[in-house]
Structure formats: structure tokens, C-alpha cells
């Protein structure tokens, strides 16, 4: 009798040994499966390489807050920008909202001194831009208008700019903007009027707001309300192959041809990766991250609960997601996620999946060989 048969023989003195080995294998497998459920590729630190609280970034520039105030780092070159609020890619240029009245800065591949040094162009008097987005030669700016925000449109490169401003009857606070085929989508919040539905007149609630803006190049930008959601603010807008995704502190919305679908996931910050997926991060203490791809939603478990209050997230050209924020003690911190690691064959989940496939193929091959051998021998089975 072979050694294997002796181990499996009833009443064998080795039977308890084989059972113990089997139990250990089951326990180890369970632990590995539990570990593999954690999101892969998470590590401390940021891929942006600056020492401060990041506020905005593009592929080659970072706006961050340091002990000396706001700094713009452009390809390693640092410039003080005490009141800057945004960075935006526009063709070969990088635009910066300086937070100063009447001016926006730019730098880029212009073939002159503005290729290596920040230059400025006028956006008209009495306007302070907080966000800016280009669509062709048209620029749409979110501008401060007293205690709320408005939209201003102008042509890029106009030597004597005469921006036209939309006057809103409602109080809106606009935070994010993205160009579309027709114009722009803008996200932020709408503040209800005093005593609205019995609300506190001293502090009326704010509701998530998505609007669409179009501009004919002559009159003020025309706006259309796309959606008003629950209490909160829309903080991110992302283009996907199926339309657009708007992320907010109350909910997340899929936008396609004027239809808006809420998916029931809130977030503090969000970013899109290089695979068309949008990653949503919750508040401090969150144990999961949600990933939206079209209408498909995946929730991944983080190795550790979030230790920071996220304020900004971005993804670089290599697919590395960086999330920045601070804790309750105002200590600045960041962590990174390799967005490609969760599907990599070298991750723990990938190794287990590969092992499962190989074992399954081995078992099926043995079964197939046994069936073929039995048919060849004329055995009944």
C-alpha cells in the first residue's frame, strides 16, 4: 500500500495528522483571502513631491499651502502666490487663478519669456477669478460677486478684454467646472433664501447644485439648472466614456444627455484615474473607497481607516492617486494608491486568482484525462 493510501486509510494512525494539515491549509487560505480583500497599492506619502497641503495641480504644476503661504511649483520652479486658488491646463499653457482682481497668470510653451516665467493677462476690472476653464478660444471663469459667485466669459488672447458676466438671482457658490461639447458643466451649491421651508434665517442651508453654461460669444453666458440635490456641495466633475460623473458631499450623480441618476454614495474628495474610473474618498475614519466605472460601482476595503480629513485628490500620468489632507490636529499628511495594482497579477488578489485558475485547470485536466482513459479501456463510469 502506497504512502498516500496509508495516510488516508480509515483507522490509520496518520488520519489525525492529515486532518490537522487540511485544517491548517484551510485556515491559511482564509487568512490570505481576507488579506486579499484589502485594496492593493496603498502607501504613505504623495507622488507630487511638495511639502505642504496641496490645493490644486496639473501634470506639471502644483499649488500648495506652506508655512510661508501659497506656493505654485511649476516643473520644480517655485513662486509665491499668496491668494492663488486654482490651476488649469489649457492647451500648452498652464493657467493660474491668482486671487487678485482683474488678472489671471499663465505659463507654458509660448516660445518667449512666458515659457519659463509666469505672465499675466487681464480679465477685466472688478473681477476676481476663483476657477477657470477653456473651451476652444472661449474662457469661462467663476468669479466672486460679493458674497456669492457668478460666471464670466471672454475670448482668450483678446487685447482689450470685455468679459460678459451672468447675473444670478439666486445665491450660488461654484467650486468646479469642466468643458463639454456644448459648453461647460459647473458644480457647487445653491443657498436657500432666508426662512426657506422653516430653515434658520441666519444660516440658510446649501444644496448640491449642477448647472450647464453655454456662451454664444456675445451675450452673457446662459445657464440651465441640471440638478439640485441634498444638503451639501458638488466638489468634482469628471468626464467618462458614458457621460459625466458629479461627486458631492451628499450623493454622486451619473449625467448623460440631460438625465441625472443618483447612485447613493457621498464623498469629501474624488479623482479620476487613467482607466476612466472615478475614485471617491470619504471622511476621516472611512474604511472603504468607492470606485465608479460607468454604471458599475465597486467598494474596496482600505488596509487602514483614513487618518486624515481629505481635502484634495489627484491622479498622475502613471496612475498613482495621491490624497491630501490633515488630521484633527492640523497635521498635514497624504497617502497614495497605485490605481493599477488592484488588477495586477502580482498583487495578493492576483496571485490567489491565478492560483485558483491554475488549480482549476489542473483538476479539470485530471478529470478529462481520467474520462479519456476510462473510455479507452472500455470501462463503465
Amino acid at each position: 500500500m502506497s504512502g498516500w493510501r496509508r495516510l488516508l486509510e480509515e483507522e490509520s494512525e496518520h488520519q489525525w495528522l492529515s486532518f490537522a494539515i487540511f485544517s491548517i491549509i484551510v485556515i491559511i487560505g482564509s487568512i490570505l483571502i481576507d488579506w486579499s480583500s484589502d485594496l492593493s497599492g496603498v502607501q504613505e506619502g504623495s507622488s507630487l513631491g511638495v511639502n505642504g497641503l496641496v490645493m490644486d495641480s496639473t501634470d506639471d504644476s502644483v499649488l500648495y499651502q506652506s508655512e510661508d503661504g501659497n506656493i505654485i511649483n511649476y516643473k520644480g520652479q517655485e513662486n509665491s502666490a499668496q491668494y492663488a486658488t486654482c490651476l488649469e491646463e489649457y492647451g500648452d499653457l498652464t493657467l493660474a487663478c491668482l486671487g487678485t482682481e482683474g488678472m489671471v497668470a499663465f505659463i507654458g510653451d509660448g516660445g518667449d519669456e512666458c515659457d519659463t516665467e509666469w505672465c499675466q493677462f487681464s480679465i477685466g476690472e472688478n473681477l476676481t477669478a476663483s476657477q477657470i476653464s477653456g473651451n476652444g478660444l472661449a474662457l469661462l471663469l467663476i468669479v466672486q460677486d460679493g458674497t456669492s459667485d457668478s460666471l464670466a466669459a471672454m475670448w482668450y488672447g483678446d487685447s482689450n478684454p470685455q468679459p460678459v458676466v451672468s447675473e444670478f438671482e439666486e445665491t450660488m457658490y461654484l467650486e468646479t467646472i469642466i468643458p463639454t461639447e456644448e459648453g461647460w458643466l459647473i458644480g457647487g451649491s445653491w443657498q436657500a433664501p432666508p426662512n426657506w421651508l422653516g430653515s434658520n434665517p441666519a444660516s440658510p442651508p446649501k444644496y448640491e447644485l449642477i448647472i450647464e453654461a453655454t456662451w454664444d460669444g456675445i451675450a452673457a453666458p446662459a445657464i440651465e439648472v441640471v440638478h439640485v440635490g441634498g444638503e451639501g456641495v458638488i466638489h468634482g466633475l469628471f468626464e467618462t466614456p458614458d457621460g459625466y460623473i458629479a461627486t458631492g458631499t451628499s450623493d454622486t450623480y451619473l449625467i448623460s444627455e440631460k438625465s441625472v441618476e443618483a447612485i447613493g454614495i457621498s464623498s469629501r474628495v474624488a479623482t479620476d484615474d487613467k482607466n476612466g474610473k472615478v475614485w471617491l474618498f470619504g471622511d476621516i475614519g472611512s474604511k472603504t473607497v468607492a470606485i465608479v466605472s460607468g454604471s458599475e460601482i465597486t467598494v474596496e476595503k482600505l488596509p487602514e481607516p483614513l487618518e486624515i480629513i481629505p481635502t484634495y485628490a489627484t491622479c498622475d500620468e502613471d496612475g498613482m492617486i495621491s490624497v491630501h489632507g490633515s488630521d484633527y490636529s492640523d497635521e498635514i499628511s497624504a497617502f497614495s494608491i497605485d490605481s493599477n495594482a488592484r488588477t495586477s497579477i502580482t498583487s495578493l488578489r492576483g496571485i490567489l486568482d491565478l492560483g485558483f485558475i491554475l488549480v482549476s485547470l489542473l483538476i479539470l485536466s485530471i478529470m478529462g484525462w481520467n474520462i479519456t482513459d476510462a473510455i479507452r479501456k472500455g470501462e463503465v463510469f
Side-chain angles (χ1 to χ4, degrees):
M1 185 179 293
S2 68
W4 286 107
R5 281 189 170 182
R6 186 173 290 111
L7 285 174
L8 298 175
E9 182 184 7
E10 286 189 42
E11 309 301 333
S12 168
E13 61 185 10
H14 302 291
Q15 192 172 30
W16 289 109
L17 176 61
S18 61
F19 179 77
I21 294 174
F22 175 76
S23 300
I24 292 173
I25 292 174
V26 170
I27 293 172
I28 293 175
S30 300
I31 293 174
L32 289 175
I33 291 173
D34 181 67
W35 284 355
S36 71
S37 65
D38 289 351
L39 183 63
S40 302
V42 181
Q43 60 191 38
E44 293 185 1
S46 167
S47 65
L48 297 183
V50 296
N51 185 22
L53 183 63
V54 175
M55 302 168 62
D56 203 352
S57 66
T58 65
D59 285 343
D60 51 20
S61 56
V62 182
L63 169 62
Y64 69 98
Q65 189 178 69
S66 71
E67 295 179 353
D68 300 323
N70 292 354
I71 303 292
I72 297 179
N73 182 306
Y74 177 78
K75 295 182 178 180
Q77 168 189 326
E78 295 197 338
N79 293 88
S80 176
Q82 292 290 344
Y83 307 106
T85 57
C86 85
L87 294 172
E88 180 69 20
E89 287 187 352
Y90 180 61
D92 294 330
L93 303 177
T94 298
L95 305 179
C97 305
L98 298 178
T100 56
E101 184 177 309
M103 289 292 175
V104 168
F106 69 97
I107 192 172
D109 190 13
D112 51 24
E113 68 276 4
C114 298
D115 186 22
T116 55
E117 299 291 336
W118 286 95
C119 299
Q120 297 185 13
F121 66 88
S122 172
I123 59 172
E125 297 180 357
N126 304 320
L127 295 179
T128 302
S130 60
Q131 297 289 333
I132 186 170
S133 176
N135 197 338
L137 293 178
L139 295 178
L140 187 69
L141 302 90
I142 298 175
V143 296
Q144 298 173 356
D145 181 16
T147 58
S148 63
D149 294 331
S150 297
L151 295 175
M154 60 178 290
W155 295 111
Y156 174 75
D158 194 335
S159 58
N160 185 26
Q162 299 294 327
V164 286
V165 181
S166 296
E167 299 294 339
F168 299 152
E169 296 181 0
E170 306 288 345
T171 301
M172 299 181 185
Y173 298 92
L174 307 178
E175 296 201 3
T176 182
I177 182 171
I178 186 173
T180 67
E181 291 185 1
E182 295 79 17
W184 295 267
L185 278 178
I186 304 102
S189 61
W190 165 75
Q191 186 169 43
N195 297 317
W196 189 76
L197 296 179
S199 61
N200 184 355
S203 180
K206 297 177 182 178
Y207 295 89
E208 292 177 332
L209 175 69
I210 306 170
I211 61 177
E212 182 181 36
T214 55
W215 187 45
D216 60 7
I218 302 174
I223 69 165
E224 178 182 351
V225 175
V226 176
H227 183 74
V228 177
E231 284 194 51
V233 58
I234 298 295
H235 55 73
L237 290 167
F238 306 95
E239 184 176 7
T240 72
D242 302 316
Y244 297 88
I245 294 178
T247 57
T249 55
S250 176
D251 210 332
T252 298
Y253 307 93
L254 307 180
I255 305 172
S256 177
E257 297 181 356
K258 302 295 179 70
S259 67
V260 179
E261 176 186 356
I263 62 176
I265 300 177
S266 61
S267 60
R268 284 192 66 96
V269 299
T271 187
D272 55 345
D273 62 19
K274 302 308 176 184
N275 301 312
K277 299 178 176 61
V278 177
W279 295 58
L280 287 74
F281 298 89
D283 211 334
I284 187 171
S286 297
K287 299 180 179 179
T288 58
V289 55
I291 305 171
V292 182
S293 177
S295 58
E296 179 183 351
I297 304 169
T298 304
V299 178
E300 298 280 0
K301 180 183 175 183
L302 293 168
E304 299 289 342
L306 286 186
E307 298 179 350
I308 61 173
I309 303 170
T311 56
Y312 180 72
T314 187
C315 184
D316 64 22
E317 58 185 7
D318 297 321
M320 186 65 73
I321 294 172
S322 297
V323 183
H324 297 257
S326 58
D327 59 21
Y328 289 129
S329 302
D330 288 333
E331 290 292 329
I332 297 172
S333 183
F335 67 94
S336 303
I337 301 175
D338 184 352
S339 62
N340 300 312
R342 59 191 292 266
T343 57
S344 172
I345 196 65
T346 59
S347 66
L348 180 57
R349 182 181 304 181
I351 292 172
L352 290 178
D353 289 343
L354 178 61
F356 176 78
I357 293 172
L358 293 177
V359 171
S360 300
L361 289 176
L362 178 61
I363 293 173
L364 291 175
S365 298
I366 293 174
M367 291 175 61
W369 183 85
N370 288 333
I371 292 173
T372 303
D373 186 61
I375 294 175
R376 183 177 56 83
K377 293 180 179 179
E379 297 177 356
V380 178
F381 58 92

